[in-house]
């Protein structure tokens, strides 16, 4: 499997984060804070349903221990926009992947309710591939894999997707004032009990993945979400070990909530 496909799978995994420290409460100062996952989820979701749209920027890197300090084996980035509708989440996103010393590869995603388009990395620099319309119900395994990757990218673009899915197995371990680029915000650390999540999970594939993580000694995973005074997500952060590749550290920033964005299918002449 090409590295860019593996990274896409990791970026859009249903559960992303880093091994968590034991839960600790912090003094409630500065901005108002909540310590119940459901209360936090309800407040953020209600704000998102009002604002509807946001600009998304992702930055990260992979460390594999073979390069010197400050020299990642791979850098990952991306920019795009998301729109939250009653029918689902739409995303227009371009991901970049750069191996140390190699040319940057770009992958494009346009995901709308009932429609998925991908533009895979170019075989030759300066010779962009056409967009491909992907059918999730296709009998072709490769096409179904691409559809799943696109769906995962949508899930990872929505900052509440993971919280919502594992809410019954999660708790707020910490809530601290932590401004993001000058904007007052609360940094929430949310810890998922993987044993509990596996017990509650209905999808047999996801349940097996969770059970495998637990068997490997990982019993809790934590993620971080920054929320401003208006309950808007402004940043999320994750760190995850990828066997055989290294450690992936990712940060996603959300800007301009409520600013209109246009997410449409690629021009027909560019779709095969």
């Amino acid at each position: 499997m090409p590295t860019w496909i593996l990274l896409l799978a990791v970026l859009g995994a249903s559960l992303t984060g880093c091994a968590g420290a034991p839960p600790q409460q912090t003094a409630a100062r500065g901005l108002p804070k909540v310590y119940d996952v459901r209360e936090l989820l309800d407040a953020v979701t209600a704000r998102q349903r009002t604002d509807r749209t946001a600009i998304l920027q992702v930055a990260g890197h992979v460390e594999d221990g073979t390069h010197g300090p400050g020299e990642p084996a791979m850098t990952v980035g991306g920019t795009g926009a998301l729109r939250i509708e009653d029918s689902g989440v739409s995303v227009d996103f371009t991901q970049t992947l750069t191996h140390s010393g190699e040319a940057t590869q770009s992958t494009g995603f346009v995901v709308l309710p009932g429609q998925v388009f991908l533009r895979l990395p170019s075989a030759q620099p300066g010779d962009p591939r056409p967009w491909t319309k992907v059918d999730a119900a296709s009998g072709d395994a490769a096409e179904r894999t691409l559809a799943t990757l696109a769906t995962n990218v949508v899930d990872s673009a929505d900052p509440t997707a993971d919280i919502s899915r594992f809410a019954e197995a999660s708790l707020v371990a910490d809530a601290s004032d932590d401004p993001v680029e000058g904007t007052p915000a609360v940094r929430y650390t949310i810890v998922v009990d993987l044993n509990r999540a596996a017990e509650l999970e209905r999808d047999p594939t996801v349940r097996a993945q969770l059970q495998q993580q637990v068997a490997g000694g990982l019993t809790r995973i934590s993620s971080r979400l920054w929320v401003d005074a208006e309950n808007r997500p402004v940043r999320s952060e994750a760190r995850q070990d990828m066997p055989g590749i290294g450690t992936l550290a990712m940060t996603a920033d959300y800007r301009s909530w409520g600013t209109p964005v246009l997410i449409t299918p690629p021009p027909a002449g560019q779709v095969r």
Side-chain angles (χ1 to χ4, degrees):
M1 176 182 293
T3 303
W4 66 268
I5 288 184
L6 179 57
L7 274 178
L8 289 175
V10 171
L11 290 173
S14 297
L15 191 63
T16 58
C18 54
Q24 296 179 352
Q25 295 285 340
T26 56
R29 298 179 181 275
L31 293 180
K33 302 171 181 66
V34 298
Y35 290 88
D36 179 84
V37 169
R38 278 293 178 189
E39 186 178 351
L40 173 63
L41 179 63
D42 289 346
V44 173
T45 299
R47 182 76 253 181
Q48 286 181 282
R49 294 296 175 186
T50 298
D51 291 338
R52 297 284 186 176
T53 60
I55 303 300
L56 170 65
Q57 184 169 2
V58 174
H61 62 273
V62 174
E63 301 170 354
D64 64 1
T66 63
H67 294 68
E71 297 181 10
M74 192 182 309
T75 58
V76 183
T79 57
L82 64 92
R83 184 173 65 236
I84 300 171
E85 304 167 287
D86 294 338
S87 56
V89 179
S90 297
V91 174
D92 185 337
F93 186 75
T94 300
Q95 178 189 278
T96 59
L97 175 65
T98 307
H99 291 265
S100 179
E102 297 182 10
T104 298
Q105 293 182 316
S106 296
T107 304
F109 297 86
V110 174
V111 183
L112 298 153
Q115 299 183 85
V116 175
F117 300 88
L118 282 86
R119 174 147 50 193
L120 301 179
S122 301
Q124 299 293 333
D127 183 22
R129 291 186 176 183
W131 287 88
T132 299
K133 187 172 184 179
V134 179
D135 180 7
S138 171
D140 182 76
E143 188 165 358
R144 290 199 306 272
T145 297
L146 293 176
T148 299
L149 291 174
T151 300
N152 288 339
V153 168
V154 172
D155 287 344
S156 62
D158 180 356
T160 64
D162 292 342
I163 302 175
S164 178
R165 180 162 197 170
F166 298 101
E168 300 304 321
S170 303
L171 58 81
V172 175
D174 182 76
S176 303
D177 288 286
D178 187 13
V180 175
E181 297 183 0
T183 299
V186 177
R187 182 189 68 244
Y188 288 98
T189 300
I190 300 166
V191 177
V192 180
D193 181 334
L194 295 186
N195 276 301
R196 179 64 174 160
E199 292 174 358
L200 297 173
E201 181 56 51
R202 296 182 178 180
D203 185 321
T205 300
V206 176
R207 183 169 60 250
Q209 292 171 347
L210 293 171
Q211 291 171 336
Q212 184 177 11
Q213 288 179 305
V214 172
L218 185 61
T219 59
R220 291 185 302 183
I221 286 182
S222 69
S223 60
R224 297 183 179 90
L225 179 68
W226 282 255
V227 177
D228 72 7
E230 302 298 325
N231 294 320
R232 294 184 177 97
V234 292
R235 175 171 290 174
S236 63
E237 189 176 86
R239 188 177 179 89
Q240 182 169 337
D241 290 331
M242 301 185 300
I245 294 180
T247 300
L248 173 67
M250 296 292 297
T251 299
D253 287 329
Y254 298 87
R255 299 286 183 268
S256 303
W257 281 102
T259 300
V261 299
L262 183 63
I263 300 177
T264 60
Q270 299 179 17
V271 179
R272 67 179 183 184

